Amino acid sequence: MRLGWYSLFAVALVGCTRPSMSPDVARVRELTGVQRLAAVADVEVDPVASEEAHRMLGEPLTADAAVRVALLNNRELRATLRELGVARGRLMQAGVLPNPTVEVELQPERNSRFELRVEYDLTSAILAPRRARAAAPELTAARFHAAGAVVALGYHVRVAFYRVQASEQQLALAQRMLDTHAAGRDAARAMYAAGNVPELNVASMEVAYERARITVAELELAVATAREALHRLLGAHGADTAWELTGELPPVPEAPSIPTAVEQDVIEASLDLRETRERLEGLARRAGVARTAGWLPDIAVDLHALNGNPEDDPMGSSGWRFGGGVSVGVPLFDQQRGTTRALQAEFDALLERFYGQAVDLRSAAREARNRVTSAHARARQYQTVIVPGQARVTQQTLLQYNAMQVGIYHLLQARREELEAQLAHVETLREYWSATAEMTALLAGKQVEGAPRGASTMSSGASGAAEGH
Amino acid sequence: MDRRDFIRYTGLAASAVVATRVDRAQAQRAAADAAAATEAQAEAAAAAERAPGRALTVAPGGQPAVITPNGATLPLRLVNGVKVGHLVAEPVDHEFAPGLRAECWGYNGRTPGPTIEAVEGDRLRLYVSNRLAEGTTVHWHGIVLPNGMDGVAGLTQPPIPPGETFMYEFTVRHPGTYMYHPHYDEMTQIALGMEGMLIVHPRRPRGPRVDRDFALMTHEFRLDVGARRPDPTEMKDFNVLTFNSRVFPGTAPLLVGRGERVRIRFGNLSPMDHHPVHLHGLWFHTTATDGGYIPESAQRPDTTVLVPTGSTRVIEFVPEELGDWAMHCHMTHHVMTQMGHGTPPVTGADMQRVDRRMRRVMPEYMTMGTRGMGGMGEMEMPIPPNSLPMRGAHGPASYVDMGGMFTVLKVREQPDGADPRAWFQHPAGTVAGPADAAQMRADGVTAPAPARARRASADEHTAVTREREAPSDRQSTER
């Protein structure tokens, strides 16, 4: 009776574990609040990029659109989502009941035609539901891991997008600065041609212009490099790399958006912590299974049928005779202590990392807050004080030029200083929006690159979900 | 494109209606400017006419009182045989000309301080109150007097503390043209405008009686464009050059009669510069310095008198020709109010390429001065407030592109009834104008090539230059 109950339970459990990972992807969407993810459930790998992503890349790109494209088209994310199938498969496998062993023997020495024996490993059947239960957290952890990958990808796309925006803005500013050098060079040449200035002036202006071209060339490379980094994240190639940006980096708001209890919010939202917690749960259950398996005798029952009767004419008589048996392995020497100890140690190590993760997350939250606050203050200073101040300097220099107090070189220098302030402003905007993206990712549950990480978060203990059995 | 070209071409490109409106507006503006310039000079003249104390100090022998254009004469009260006056050293909100004010220092609310007029042998008792934030003294420049009255801080007296009043008393024994100024922190106090003239008429007139007697103190300030206080630390580059601390068109004209004998007393308390003052349309004799009278035998005719810093010069003349005659310092930078120094010279340069560049860098920019700077004062362009760089005024013929140490000697048949605001009406045929081609041919004068041909030559040179520049311009990094 007891055996039957266990068997039924195991069958029911295995029956609940469907092979499709659609619910896993749906859960990832739910965890991340993302509407659309790459279609990987029950779909074969297609070398052709997503049609929807291709269409979006044909239109002027915003940061949000870039993230949507990457969520559909980024192969690494698609791979991570497909790896949900690995955990799901392992879960399915863990709950599967052992197969019976069927043995057929010809036994003329025992005056029977043949003997049919069916043996079943009862211990494994008893343990199957527990093993399935122990594997379940790994699937949940894998979902958190995939959700974290979605959030991280969103962060990386945004940061790469802001870098492209900043690079293109800075290149445009550098080209305007080059124009000022060209104007200075041409002015020197014109004055030299008129006999007004010595050749030294021309030489100085020409070399200044040529040096400025180096800066422009460097920024051209920076734009190309930034675009390529984004291409990789978008999974874009070929004609899909001809996208154009929409607009410039937006100005910073009056106040940065930082939650009051940012540390607590980050801890509560952390997908990493939830993933580790699930893995801890899985390890604890696996240790429990190992401990149980250690003291549970290996019980196998068998049913055998014998065709023929040796008491009669062995070769002429027919009819079946039935019997059964039980074999019990006494857990005298191997009580799975080593496996149990290893799993306990693995649990303890991961628990240490779990606490370390929390420490790192709090630190990352504070650092992100500091980064957002500082970048906001600096960007705001440029936005509201320095850039308008430099524009005022240029305007006043123009008035002084009109009043014949300064010459064209002085005027151009003022313009260059204004452009330099705008360059620095763009850099602070990029810093601010990147830091904001980092903060957003943290609050969405993922500690992303940019904040320092301790050794505790270097390994999540995700390996070996199917080991230890 | 030169700024003048820009204005001209803009006018050509505009519609006829707009052009007419622009012309009318420009004409109205020019007329308004001319009226304003005339009014500024007239107001200056009227202020000079209202100068108090003029009647009190008519000198023996019927010599007229001194006129201080844009200035005043210090009232003196006779008390027990002593002429008593009061100078107050204080900050002054001063207008150099309409559009340029500054926080200066002076006496009795003005710079230069009121002219002190006395007669040889007078006993003067001069109270000096100090309303400055620092000490001061008054040195009576050129006067022979007791050493303790000489006004040199530390040497002959302590400085007059702020809020205190000191008394100077001495007898002026020698007739002549003198000055007064501080001798405490003179670098600051003189640079900010503390100065004045002191005239001692002879008890017994010397030489011919004059009909008009003017006092003009030359001075120089450093007032940066857009600033509101002269810079007392400047040692070289002065940009506001003044007659009686005024610049043209804020200088009052000197109205005199044809055939009248005119005396002009120049003083110079400029920190650094001498001023060669040139009069048009006449010659004169220098009759005296602050050291006394020049014997007639030593006098010589001149049209320019050099007034060294720290000195006075007195000239006398009898104008023969009616008209509006320029009188100005002949240092050319001294008539270019607040003109900047050290700017790159663009005269003669072809800046068209630069203009094209600058349109991308700074659309508001326009090249100036490629064909000279004569029309700068007429340019309609924004400049810093409280500044008069290269500013003159519209005159009856065209723009007078001089400012600074410039004024007008107006010679009239009936000067006493004449309107100082009115310009001279030239008799027909007495004004220079375009030459008649037939007359030129008859006289064997060949006109130079038209400007267009000269321009073509310049363009040819520019084209060669462009060709040489082209390769680097085609490189990819230049946008």
Side-chain angles (χ1 to χ4, degrees), chain A residues 196 209 213 220 402 405, chain B residues 338 347 382 475 477-479:
Chain A
N196 294 351
Y209 167 76
R213 291 180 62 205
E220 284 173 341
N402 288 345
Q405 302 301 297
Chain B
Q338 292 188 299
T347 307
Q475 292 187 34
T477 50
E478 183 177 352
R479 303 292 170 94

Side-chain angles (χ1 to χ4, degrees), chain B residues 256-389:
Chain B
V256 303
R258 176 158 68 173
E260 286 183 344
R261 189 169 188 83
V262 179
R263 175 187 294 136
I264 303 178
R265 305 167 187 264
F266 293 105
N268 184 3
L269 284 175
S270 301
M272 292 295 287
D273 287 311
H274 312 319
H275 300 296
V277 180
H278 175 59
L279 279 76
H280 291 213
L282 53 85
W283 49 263
F284 54 78
H285 282 100
T286 304
T287 58
T289 69
D290 39 354
Y293 291 92
I294 299 173
E296 196 170 344
S297 60
Q299 295 176 10
R300 62 181 189 188
D302 275 309
T303 64
T304 298
V305 56
L306 180 65
V307 188
T309 188
S311 303
T312 67
R313 293 289 183 268
V314 181
I315 65 169
E316 292 182 19
F317 55 87
V318 178
E320 297 175 9
E321 289 288 339
L322 296 172
D324 294 331
W325 300 102
M327 186 173 87
H328 61 94
C329 177
H330 218 289
M331 287 194 175
T332 56
H333 285 186
H334 290 190
V335 291
M336 298 191 308
T337 303
Q338 292 188 299
M339 166 66 184
H341 299 179
T343 57
V346 294
T347 307
D350 179 1
M351 300 289 277
Q352 293 182 48
R353 187 183 176 87
V354 177
D355 287 340
R356 285 198 300 275
R357 293 272 188 209
M358 292 300 286
R359 273 197 286 278
R360 289 192 291 193
V361 175
M362 192 176 291
E364 309 95 322
Y365 165 90
M366 279 191 285
T367 294
M368 295 187 291
T370 56
R371 300 185 192 179
M373 294 183 281
M376 291 300 126
E378 298 177 88
M379 295 296 178
E380 293 293 336
M381 65 186 127
I383 59 174
N386 197 42
S387 63
L388 291 176

Side-chain angles (χ1 to χ4, degrees), chain B residues 401-442:
Chain B
D401 64 358
M402 286 190 283
M405 198 178 284
F406 179 92
T407 189
V408 180
L409 182 73
K410 297 196 172 189
V411 182
R412 301 288 187 268
E413 291 286 10
Q414 302 295 330
D416 290 330
D419 181 357
R421 290 172 298 188
W423 297 108
F424 180 64
Q425 300 299 311
H426 299 89
T430 64
V431 180
D436 178 71
Q439 183 72 52
M440 286 177 69
R441 278 194 300 275

